[in-house]
Structure formats: C-alpha cells, structure tokens
DNA sequence: ATAATATATCACTATATTGTGATAAAGGAA
DNA sequence: TTCCTTTATCACAATATAGTGATATATTAT
C-alpha cells in the first residue's frame, strides 16, 4: 500500500542513488562500471543497487559473472512507473550529473572488460590511507 | 540542482508526511487539527510540516494564532510541482489513509475552534505514562 | 496588565541509514 | 583442480532522522 510509495521515494531520496538512475537512464551498466563513474567502493554501489531494485526502479540481467543493471521497464509494484516518469525531469545542468555523464562516455569507450572492481577498491583504500 | 529533487523526495519518504500531504490534498488544516487526526504531538507535527514546506510541497497561511496548511499551488522550486503531480496516485485503499480520511471528516465537522493542541498533548503524555 | 491558546524551535533519545572492509558465493581461465 | 574475477551480504562506525518534552514567541480573551 503506502509502503510501495514510501519505499520508492526513499530510494530516490539519496544523492548517490539519483546519480545511479540518472546514469542507467542512458544505458545499462555493471557494478564495476558504476564504481568507476561514482568513485565508490563495491559494497556501497551494490547496496544502493539493491535498494533501487527493491523499489522496482531498476532491474538486473546476469551475464556470466557480470550483473547488468538498467531502468525497470515494467510495472513492478504500484508506484514504480510513476516515479520513473519523473526521471526525465532531473536537472541536466547539475554539476554532479554532468561530471557523471562525461565519465560514462569514457567508461563506455573502454568497455566492460577494462573496468576492475578489485583495482578500484584498492585505489580507494590507498587514497583513504593517504588522507587519514 | 539535484538538491531540490532530493529534498522533495526525502520529504515524501516518510509515512507521517505522506499522510499529511494526502490530507491536505482534500482540504487545508491547522496544526492542531492534524494532531487530532494523526494522534501525534504538536512538536512532531510542526516539524514534519516544516520539512514539507521547505520542500515546496505545502504552504502556510496564518490567520490569527492558527497556521493553516495546504498543498502548494505554485512553482516553489525546480521539482515541487512534479512531485505534487504524483499525489493523486497515492493508493486510496490504503488502511492508514482511509482511517485518516474518516478522522478528517470528524475534525471538519467539529471545526477548528474545537480542536486543542494542549488537550491532545496532555492525552498523549498520559497514554505514554500508562504504557511505560 | 494577566491568562490561555497555537505554533515554532531547541535539546535529547531511540532508531535508521550511509559508507566501508571482510567475507562468501559463483562464474570463467589456466 | 586452483586461481582470479564479479557480485552480494554481513558487521561495524559515523552520521542522519523521527518522535518527544520543555521552552519561547505571538495572538486573542479577560
């Protein structure tokens, strides 16, 4: 009932998750590609994807070891499509979304095989070690 | 930028606040009327109204000591109207919203003068004392 | 003036959420 | 098989949020 509505608006009430759906609006991506674009750890990205999926906003397709995520195209619950209709109104001139869009192009050019969850996780750890 | 979108979806990602906007869709109400319907304390209701107002979803009109709240009818920021357009899709058969709707009729019949913030706050405190 | 009321705001506790490292499960390559 | 990868999940720390009582402000009545 109300829970569907609240679960979905809650899913869209976090900056990272809005960035993710904004990217997935343009093309499907796997977890490690999203890590590269967002600059976040694998468990973080995976958790956010779980929340968006649970809300019926995105869907997965497994191919080998990769999980490709894209916008949900079907009625998954009572409100998912209503909220998906809001996504085209996301501000295209937002600095965050613009930066993400540029990174998206790079990642698409490189291709899935050239993104590495392990490398990025290591890099993130080194960076936080140097900072702290 | 993105903040407008997130602030608004966050405002709608809480059960109490969705109940409030659902009520204000039907007619304007003051804080103490909302207290009666929701069965919550005055500071709680007031805080939620502040969050909804800050998101551009509702607006206030002061008359005497009363603050009457209603749905926002103007463009308050970049996304408020997009989200307000979602409200008619709220599930009318939700048990919570139905119960609120019945209470709304009672409160409307009684009139503003017969709701009392002080009385309800006292009642709530007594109830929690008996429980704890 | 004083008293009573409606509302907003502050400080606090309890709970929820975010980001993270470690671990586990599962597919593909050597 | 063993090794390397991607992804999901768990446990934890840091932060954010919800609900509340007390307090402060403002309006109205006496």
């Amino acid at each position: 009932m109300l829970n569907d509505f609240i679960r979905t608006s809650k899913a869209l009430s976090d900056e990272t998750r809005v960035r993710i759906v904004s990217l997935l609006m343009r093309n499907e991506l796997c977890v490690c590609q999203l890590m590269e674009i967002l600059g976040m750890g694998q468990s973080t990205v995976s958790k956010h994807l779980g929340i968006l999926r649970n809300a019926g906003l995105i869907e997965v397709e497994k191919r080998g070891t990769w999980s490709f995520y894209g916008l949900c195209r079907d009625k998954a619950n009572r409100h998912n499509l209503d909220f998906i209709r809001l996504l085209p109104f996301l501000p295209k001139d937002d600095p965050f979304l613009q930066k993400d869009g540029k990174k998206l192009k790079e990642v698409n050019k490189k291709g899935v095989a050239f993104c590495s969850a392990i490398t990025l996780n290591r890099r993130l750890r080194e960076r936080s070690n140097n900072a702290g």
Side-chain angles (χ1 to χ4, degrees), chain A:
Chain A
M1 294 295 156
L2 255 197
N3 289 353
D4 282 345
F5 187 94
I6 289 166
R7 193 183 309 125
T8 313
S9 56
K10 197 171 282 185
L12 287 177
S13 72
D14 174 84
E15 183 178 81
T16 303
R17 289 195 290 270
V18 174
R19 289 169 69 192
I20 291 175
V21 292
S22 182
L23 286 160
L24 297 183
M25 245 192 323
R26 300 174 62 171
N27 59 261
E28 63 171 21
L29 291 166
C30 67
V31 179
C32 54
Q33 287 176 309
L34 282 165
M35 291 174 67
E36 300 264 354
I37 298 171
L38 300 169
M40 287 178 169
Q42 185 268 321
S43 63
T44 306
V45 174
S46 203
K47 195 195 251 184
H48 282 302
L49 289 168
I51 291 169
L52 288 167
R53 196 153 94 86
N54 190 245
L57 292 168
I58 65 174
E59 55 192 10
V60 211
E61 190 190 322
K62 290 222 170 202
R63 291 183 219 137
T65 41
W66 283 280
S67 293
F68 285 92
Y69 284 87
L71 274 199
C72 183
R73 280 164 306 211
D74 308 311
K75 183 173 174 61
N77 61 53
R78 208 153 169 171
H79 295 286
N80 67 317
L81 295 180
D82 299 329
F83 278 93
I84 287 175
R85 260 180 246 122
L86 288 183
L87 302 184
F89 296 109
L90 284 170
K92 301 193 204 320
D93 56 341
D94 177 80
F96 248 126
L97 298 188
Q98 286 198 333
K99 194 155 149 272
D100 289 345
K102 283 178 192 162
K103 282 229 169 194
L104 173 63
K105 282 185 188 170
E106 291 174 30
V107 166
N108 278 335
K109 216 175 282 178
K110 283 201 300 185
V112 183
F114 289 89
C115 74
S116 164
I118 290 175
T119 304
L120 187 51
N121 258 345
R122 177 159 35 78
R123 242 186 263 157
L124 287 170
R125 200 173 326 161
E126 285 168 5
R127 195 187 305 168
S128 77
N129 283 346
N130 290 343

